[in-house]
Amino acid sequence: MNAMTPEYSDDDFAGSLRNAFDDQPIPPKPLDRDVLAKVTASTCEPETPRPFAWNGHSRFSQMAALIPVVAASLVLVVAFWRTETPTASNEAVERPKNAVAQQPIQSEIPKQNPVSQLPDGPNLLQDKVIDAEISTVHDKSVAKPDPQTPQQNQESKPTPENQEKIETNRIQFQFLSAKTAFASLTNYALSIDQLKNGPFKDVRFELDERTNSIVFHSPYSKTIEIGMQLGRLDVEAALDIIDDTTVPSTLMSAVRLTNACVALKRWDAIKLTDAFQPYLSNERNATLRAFQSLGLPKGVKSLRLGPGKRRQWLSSPETVAYTYIVDFPDLLTDMKRFVDALLGEEIFDDMLDGIRDDPAGPQIDIREVAKSMDFELVLVAKQSREGNRKDSTMFAMSLKQSAPVAQALERVMAVEPDSAKQSIGGTNIYIIQRGDEPAKATCIAGDCLVIGDANLVRESILRFDKR
Amino acid sequence: MTDMDSLVTEHADAVWRTVNRVLENQDDARECYQQTFLDAFQMDRDGVRNWRSVLCQIAFRRSMDCLRRRYRDRDKLPQMAVALGEDLPPDKRLIQAEVRASVRRVLVTLPVAQAEAFWLRHIQQLSTNEVAIQMKLRPGHVRVLIHRAIRTLRNELGSQYEFASQTGNTK
């Protein structure tokens, strides 16, 4: 752990401050009688009770606007955490000697959810992998791949011209039978149509027979895609690639959380940390507590690679898209646990009430809005080719009813000082530009609420308009 | 009508303790102490149900006003005449005095509601519900205010807290 990170709780901190104020009360002196006779102009008016104050820059307003996005972030977390219950045959296989003892997965109260009965999306190596370890390190000396000559990338060597132009991960998956896994992986990579623009674009992988492992070289965003594809792997030990310190492997959930945090941070899709920064600061413990509180959300399941036929306009050859099945009311419950644990107080409901009741705010009921959400969520990502700039991302959530969501969106944007309305074809888009940050955009197109980086949203709406 | 003398007698301790803790200066504390009762006596007293809460709220806000003046006129910073924690060794007393000064410095930069909520909850050690009643806010709102205040305090005093913890002042 980072030595500079405070490891004490808020209560410890406040208690320490209080200790400094411990005193022996000094008996008060009697009031001067002449003072009582004075008439002063000042009167102390108690502050009028008011729920959460709304202003356009309020973090609560940002959280309200970001709730669908935060919900989508959970999809990423889940996608990265997915684990497979070992089959009977798998359990019979002896574990490698260097494998860390597996801890039981901490899950919240199990819920019956019809979503869980739906089939899985693509699940690479599901039947081949028995156990695995992942270690992740910075590797800046890998040559930047040339998109025009993908075949040559396999043998490309770093040169002074192309070295360190792209920051990559070196991920080592260790298998009991790496040869089998490698064959399966190769077949998969060769078979899928999306080879050029799919999950293995810009990714090199190689078999290391000595360590019985497969090594991936990939950009950060691709790391997460690999994580999704290999989502059934039960990751038992990992290195924190942020500060290169080891997370104790006994903390199973912590390892998962670290991976998820790293994924979210590098993916940078939902700016989760930014949205919650005033409340959680950079405290790792708070983040861990929050993610631990999630357990494994039941309301999310991978559906397919790609946006689906009806929503082809959401993606292009330059983007990668995944579709998930989401139960939004369930996800809202998960979010409550997440936010309450993150802040260490049960304030999520109060926040929602404040957003609903504050006369200066948009006065929308997030719980009601969630009921208008349908069950499909499409994640679209476009990799940046400019050095280490983050990738562009966008989410599209299918709607059962567009009108209530459109109304809520309009209200949120009406009190958002940094928003501007534009029109592309017949679609109104709200562009949000805060300072120097990349512009965000949101709109309702067809039966989808679209939210994400402005460039991606604009491109999608142009395609939507030309259908 | 509430009897003034009985009000002063009943709540003087609480008011004095509040101003004394916030200001740690006899002269300033005495001024705010008197001002608190003056303010209270100008209020419409018929609608007041909990005089202790009202008086402590006024006392705290008067004290914060005084602190702000103090930090604005830095050249007039008074000597901390009230020695809190006199049973401690001198080195710990010094550290605690430094922590108290730092807390005051940060508190005056906070919105008054945040500062007050933090003060009542963590220095005066009232429960969240008691703070909510005193501040006429909902408990959820109070928790948010306290959380925000602690965020700021931790950001500002984190390094100082580390120093204090090494010297054994933590819980």
Side-chain angles (χ1 to χ4, degrees):
Chain A
M1 297 287 177
N2 189 338
M4 298 302 291
T5 304
E7 298 295 341
Y8 43 83
S9 69
D10 282 353
D11 282 345
D12 286 341
F13 174 74
S16 175
L17 297 185
R18 191 193 60 76
N19 287 344
F21 281 88
D22 269 351
D23 59 349
Q24 301 296 324
I26 302 168
K29 297 176 181 176
L31 282 177
D32 298 341
R33 285 294 169 183
D34 58 326
V35 168
L36 297 178
K38 287 182 184 175
V39 177
T40 63
S42 58
T43 305
C44 182
E45 292 290 340
E47 190 175 277
T48 307
R50 190 181 162 201
F52 299 102
W54 178 279
N55 65 63
H57 290 289
S58 148
R59 288 294 177 175
F60 282 116
S61 74
Q62 291 186 19
M63 288 171 74
L66 282 170
I67 275 178
V69 185
V70 173
S73 76
L74 299 183
V75 175
L76 275 177
V77 175
V78 172
F80 205 69
W81 282 355
R82 278 190 314 168
T83 55
E84 175 74 356
T85 306
T87 62
S89 59
N90 286 348
E91 284 177 332
V93 179
E94 189 182 352
R95 295 160 60 85
K97 288 179 182 175
N98 58 353
V100 183
Q102 185 166 349
Q103 305 272 324
I105 299 166
Q106 293 179 359
S107 60
E108 293 292 319
I109 301 167
K111 288 184 287 187
Q112 290 296 324
N113 192 315
V115 172
S116 62
Q117 305 304 316
L118 295 167
D120 281 321
N123 184 18
L124 183 64
L125 307 177
Q126 179 177 358
D127 301 323
K128 309 295 181 188
V129 179
I130 307 301
D131 206 349
E133 290 186 354
I134 175 172
S135 60
T136 316
V137 294
H138 287 292
D139 183 359
K140 296 181 180 177
S141 60
V142 175
K144 184 178 181 179
D146 183 350
Q148 303 303 320
T149 54
Q151 294 304 320
Q152 291 177 12
N153 289 336
Q154 299 294 325
E155 294 84 27
S156 62
K157 304 281 189 207
T159 65
E161 287 73 30
N162 66 2
Q163 191 173 347
E164 295 191 10
K165 286 182 180 175
I166 186 166
E167 196 170 0
T168 65
N169 278 345
R170 179 180 180 278
I171 319 164
Q172 183 167 322
F173 289 92
Q174 197 168 50
F175 299 88
L176 282 180
S177 176
K179 272 186 180 176
T180 311
F182 186 74
S184 177
L185 184 64
T186 308
N187 286 336
Y188 175 82
L190 290 173
S191 66
I192 56 175
D193 294 332
Q194 293 89 347
L195 180 60
K196 286 184 180 176
N197 294 304
F200 289 98
K201 183 186 178 188
D202 297 338
V203 175
R204 291 188 299 120
F205 56 91
E206 58 199 29
L207 175 65
D208 184 345
E209 289 191 69
R210 186 177 57 81
T211 57
N212 206 20
S213 55
I214 298 176
V215 181
F216 291 83
H217 299 274
S218 68
Y220 279 112
S221 59
K222 295 298 172 186
T223 303
I224 297 155
E225 289 181 16
I226 293 169
M228 289 175 175
Q229 294 298 319
L230 302 176
R232 298 303 169 121
L233 299 184
D234 203 4
V235 180
E236 294 190 51
L239 296 177
D240 182 340
I241 65 171
I242 293 177
D243 56 10
D244 291 328
T245 54
T246 305
V247 176
S249 58
T250 51
L251 297 174
M252 180 66 157
S253 54
V255 173
R256 292 170 186 280
L257 298 177
T258 304
N259 276 299
C261 292
V262 169
L264 290 172
K265 186 181 177 70
R266 295 301 178 183
W267 186 259
D268 206 8
I270 42 87
K271 303 195 74 178
L272 190 67
T273 307
D274 179 49
F276 290 99
Q277 192 177 12
Y279 307 104
L280 78 109
S281 73
N282 293 318
E283 233 187 300
R284 181 171 305 183
N285 280 351
T287 313
L288 292 179
R289 274 203 312 275
F291 278 101
Q292 277 169 336
S293 79
L294 274 176
L296 295 173
K298 305 296 181 190
V300 182
K301 201 166 183 70
S302 173
L303 178 64
R304 69 171 82 88
L305 195 63
K309 286 183 181 176
R310 279 199 305 134
R311 302 192 183 93
Q312 281 297 337
W313 54 274
L314 284 168
S315 70
S316 71
E318 290 80 35
T319 61
V320 178
Y322 293 92
T323 304
Y324 297 90
I325 299 176
V326 179
D327 184 326
F328 278 96
D330 267 11
L331 209 55
L332 209 58
T333 308
D334 281 324
M335 281 188 62
K336 173 177 164 50
R337 287 210 308 272
F338 175 80
V339 173
D340 289 348
L342 195 66
L343 308 186
E345 300 281 1
E346 293 189 2
I347 67 169
F348 185 75
D349 285 332
D350 288 322
M351 285 163 47
L352 296 191
D353 291 344
I355 292 164
R356 182 192 59 198
D357 301 333
D358 189 343
Q363 294 187 301
I364 58 172
D365 190 339
I366 300 290
R367 301 176 188 90
E368 289 301 315
V369 173
K371 290 176 184 172
S372 298
M373 300 288 186
D374 210 347
F375 61 88
E376 283 194 29
L377 184 144
V378 184
L379 162 65
V380 182
K382 183 178 183 181
Q383 189 185 351
S384 168
R385 307 298 288 174
E386 299 174 34
N388 291 332
R389 283 192 59 183
K390 65 169 189 172
D391 297 349
S392 301
T393 50
M394 178 180 80
F395 300 93
M397 282 155 273
S398 63
L399 304 173
K400 282 189 276 195
Q401 302 168 290
S402 307
V405 181
Q407 196 177 18
L409 188 64
E410 199 171 325
R411 285 186 173 188
V412 170
M413 290 302 140
V415 293
E416 169 59 63
D418 297 322
S419 74
K421 200 173 181 178
Q422 291 183 4
S423 185
I424 296 181
T427 308
N428 289 324
I429 303 182
Y430 296 95
I431 308 289
I432 302 144
Q433 179 75 64
R434 290 196 182 99
D436 297 332
E437 295 178 14
K440 304 289 179 191
T442 180
C443 66
I444 291 182
D447 65 343
C448 286
L449 168 65
V450 182
I451 183 167
D453 287 304
N455 58 333
L456 268 184
V457 175
R458 280 200 195 97
E459 289 170 13
S460 295
I461 298 306
L462 283 171
R463 288 192 295 274
F464 176 75
D465 198 43
K466 289 177 182 173
R467 289 180 311 160
Chain B
M1 183 68 73
T2 310
D3 179 65
M4 283 190 312
D5 288 334
S6 65
L7 261 185
V8 173
T9 307
E10 192 175 346
H11 302 296
D13 268 350
V15 173
W16 178 252
R17 192 180 178 88
T18 299
V19 296
N20 195 38
R21 267 185 158 171
V22 174
L23 294 167
E24 206 173 333
N25 175 276
Q26 284 275 10
D27 293 338
D28 287 347
R30 185 167 174 75
E31 185 184 330
C32 287
Y33 173 68
Q34 310 247 10
Q35 189 64 45
T36 297
F37 285 103
L38 279 173
D39 285 350
F41 296 148
Q42 290 183 60
M43 293 173 59
D44 175 10
R45 281 170 278 165
D46 288 341
V48 177
R49 291 182 178 179
N50 186 336
W51 269 106
R52 185 180 181 278
S53 292
V54 169
L55 289 171
C56 286
Q57 188 169 38
I58 297 172
F60 181 80
R61 294 185 176 203
R62 284 288 164 218
S63 302
M64 294 305 288
D65 289 344
C66 182
L67 271 184
R68 288 196 186 91
R69 283 198 301 275
R70 186 189 290 179
Y71 284 106
R72 194 169 55 231
D73 306 327
R74 285 180 180 278
D75 54 327
K76 297 176 186 173
L77 275 177
Q79 293 296 313
M80 297 299 169
V82 181
L84 301 180
E86 286 181 334
D87 53 338
L88 290 173
D91 58 334
K92 291 197 174 180
R93 283 170 57 188
L94 274 175
I95 291 168
Q96 291 202 343
E98 195 175 314
V99 171
R100 291 195 298 272
S102 300
V103 170
R104 288 189 187 95
R105 180 174 49 77
V106 177
L107 281 183
V108 296
T109 68
L110 294 176
V112 67
Q114 282 185 35
E116 187 176 356
F118 169 80
W119 187 269
L120 293 174
R121 176 70 186 89
H122 286 296
I123 306 299
Q124 302 284 67
Q125 292 189 287
L126 301 186
S127 71
T128 304
N129 284 339
E130 287 171 330
V131 177
I133 291 168
Q134 179 150 332
M135 294 182 69
K136 298 178 182 172
L137 297 172
R138 290 180 306 151
H141 193 178
V142 169
R143 283 193 287 267
V144 173
L145 291 173
I146 293 169
H147 187 81
R148 287 175 174 173
I150 289 182
R151 288 297 87 189
T152 307
L153 282 161
R154 287 189 75 149
N155 285 341
E156 296 291 327
L157 306 180
S159 56
Q160 182 167 348
Y161 177 78
E162 286 290 301
F163 174 70
S165 72
Q166 287 165 14
T167 54
N169 284 330
T170 54
K171 269 185 170 181

